[in-house]
């Protein structure tokens, strides 16, 4: 029964992040610097650093930071290619919907989840390649959106 509310909450969360990082930071830096290295890397690095949480991830807290940095680069690329935030918001929404609404870690942001994974977030980094699998899913989605944008 809460699925529509949860999906709306995730849409608001992802839209807000995209508005700040790609809509504001990236566009402001792009207006001042010609190099994509500046206006893609800086917002993505800040986005990644804000995902640093050693209380949740333990000794492997750097991996979600690197993952979020790479995700930020994918989203920045979509905004640069499309000229709009829509593709980045859609990518971010699809990316966050599954771990927040369908199957979440029992120790982290699991309030709306239909199912809880059988391991904690810290155990996942130590024993399970889920972060790599999740990033491959993001890369496939990013490439799919890029193909659609090219047409």
């Amino acid at each position: 029964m809460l699925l529509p509310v949860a999906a709306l909450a995730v849409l608001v969360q992802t839209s807000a992040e995209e508005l700040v990082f790609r809509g504001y930071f990236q566009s402001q830096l792009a207006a001042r610097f010609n190099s994509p290295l500046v206006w893609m890397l800086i917002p993505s690095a800040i986005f990644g650093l804000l995902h640093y949480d050693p209380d949740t991830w333990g000794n492997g807290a750097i991996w979600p930071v690197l993952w979020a940095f790479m995700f930020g680069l994918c989203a920045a690329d979509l905004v640069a290619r499309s000229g709009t935030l829509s593709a980045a918001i859609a990518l971010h929404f699809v990316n966050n919907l599954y771990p927040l609404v369908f199957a979440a870690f029992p120790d982290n942001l699991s309030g709306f989840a239909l199912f809880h994974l059988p391991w904690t977030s810290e155990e996942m980094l130590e024993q399970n390649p889920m972060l790599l699998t999740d990033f491959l899913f993001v890369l496939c989605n990013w490439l799919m959106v890029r193909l659609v944008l090219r047409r």
Side-chain angles (χ1 to χ4, degrees):
M1 288 178 39
L2 291 177
L3 183 59
V5 174
L8 181 61
V10 172
L11 182 61
V12 168
Q13 176 257 328
T14 56
S15 297
E17 287 184 5
E18 291 306 318
L19 280 168
V20 170
F21 289 98
R22 263 55 75 183
Y24 181 72
F25 287 149
Q26 182 173 329
S27 66
Q28 291 297 311
L29 290 169
R32 288 169 177 75
F33 302 97
N34 289 331
S35 174
L37 291 176
V38 173
W39 50 262
M40 287 178 75
L41 288 176
I42 292 174
S44 298
I46 295 168
F47 182 74
L49 288 172
L50 288 174
H51 284 79
Y52 182 72
D53 185 6
D55 292 337
T56 299
W57 299 102
N59 293 333
I62 190 66
W63 295 111
V65 171
L66 294 174
W67 184 98
F69 172 72
M70 295 303 292
F71 178 88
L73 290 177
C74 291
D77 176 67
L78 293 180
V79 170
R81 291 185 183 281
S82 69
T84 179
L85 291 175
S86 301
I89 290 172
L91 179 71
H92 205 152
F93 176 74
V94 168
N95 179 71
N96 285 18
L97 190 65
Y98 182 79
L100 293 175
V101 176
F102 294 109
F105 295 114
D107 61 339
N108 187 24
L109 299 173
S110 62
F112 275 129
L114 295 172
F115 304 101
H116 288 157
L117 297 171
W119 53 83
T120 66
S121 50
E122 190 172 356
E123 291 170 340
M124 184 272 298
L125 288 177
E126 293 171 358
Q127 304 169 6
N128 198 314
M130 283 295 287
L131 196 62
L132 178 61
T133 304
D134 186 47
F135 189 68
L136 291 175
F137 178 74
V138 169
L139 282 179
C140 289
N141 285 334
W142 170 67
L143 289 171
M144 181 177 59
V145 173
R146 284 198 61 189
L147 286 173
V148 170
L149 289 174
R150 198 159 61 171
R151 292 182 179 200

